[in-house]
Amino acid sequence: MTDDKSADERTLGPEALKAFAHPLRMSMYAELRNGGPATATMLGRRLGESSGQTSYHLRQLEKHGFVEDDPDHPAGRERWWRAVGFRMDDLDALDDPGSAQAVRAVLQSMIAERAQTLTAWAASLDEVRQDWDVQVFSNITADLTQDEAAELVERLTAVVEEITERGRVAKEEGRTDGRRRVRLYLDVLPLPETRGT
């Protein structure tokens, strides 16, 4: 995870997905995830939009729980925002014609953001490896039942939440030496059936 708040068990309902599936809102959310907390003015500069536009869309994102006030920047002249993590593990909204397009747009945005982040990581490997030894790029294929896959998701999620919460508490207590933002991707998904197996 990045500096954004933990996803915990929060999943997205159809209305939240529809609100999120706006190109500028998804871009602003990605900026907050990748660049850390920012103001509407900062986001406007980065994305070539007016601060009025970014302020409006930040309030819409806040309404649906995607962003919140950043506690590291107390109230001042400008409001600082941070991303709030979420999970997409229930794709039933694809069955609803009113939300299917939004679900697909959010999924495509998430996939594109991952590709961009991984490409940037690969391009900076020489630099990153000089001061950070812990990283893994893994791809595992297994033959599992739905129950086994569910257990895998549950146990991996529990470990992620435990360690990220410990890191959050340490940061709040001021223990920041050696701490940096780390991105973790966790995907468990069925592969298409292959013929002849």
Side-chain angles (χ1 to χ4, degrees), residues 2-133:
T2 64
D3 287 338
D4 60 325
K5 184 179 169 184
S6 170
D8 295 323
E9 294 299 316
R10 192 171 88 81
T11 56
L12 302 180
E15 290 308 309
L17 279 167
K18 285 189 254 184
F20 187 66
H22 182 285
L24 181 56
R25 291 176 192 167
M26 290 189 290
S27 294
M28 290 168 49
Y29 184 84
E31 280 292 323
L32 291 172
R33 293 246 326 148
N34 293 325
T39 66
T41 300
M42 294 164 69
L43 289 171
R45 276 195 301 263
R46 290 180 200 164
L47 298 170
E49 296 287 340
S50 72
S51 61
Q53 278 290 331
T54 54
S55 290
Y56 169 78
H57 288 293
L58 281 165
R59 288 191 303 275
Q60 294 304 307
L61 288 169
E62 178 188 35
K63 178 181 174 182
H64 293 281
F66 294 104
V67 299
E68 65 185 9
D69 288 316
D70 179 36
D72 293 338
H73 295 88
R77 191 168 157 239
E78 282 202 273
R79 190 173 182 186
W80 283 73
W81 300 89
R82 73 174 180 176
V84 176
F86 63 88
R87 292 168 45 174
M88 281 193 65
D89 52 5
D90 180 7
L91 298 179
D92 288 343
L94 281 169
D95 299 330
D96 176 2
S99 60
Q101 185 176 358
V103 174
R104 292 187 189 285
V106 172
L107 284 171
Q108 289 301 320
S109 175
M110 292 171 69
I111 292 166
E113 187 273 335
R114 286 181 185 193
Q116 183 179 20
T117 300
L118 291 170
T119 300
W121 167 75
S124 66
L125 272 177
D126 291 338
E127 176 187 329
V128 171
R129 287 178 51 231
Q130 291 178 16
D131 63 356
W132 192 269
D133 293 333

Side-chain angles (χ1 to χ4, degrees), residues 144-158:
L144 303 175
T145 65
Q146 284 195 51
D147 288 342
E148 291 166 337
E151 179 185 355
L152 178 65
V153 169
E154 183 179 322
R155 291 173 66 180
L156 289 172
T157 301

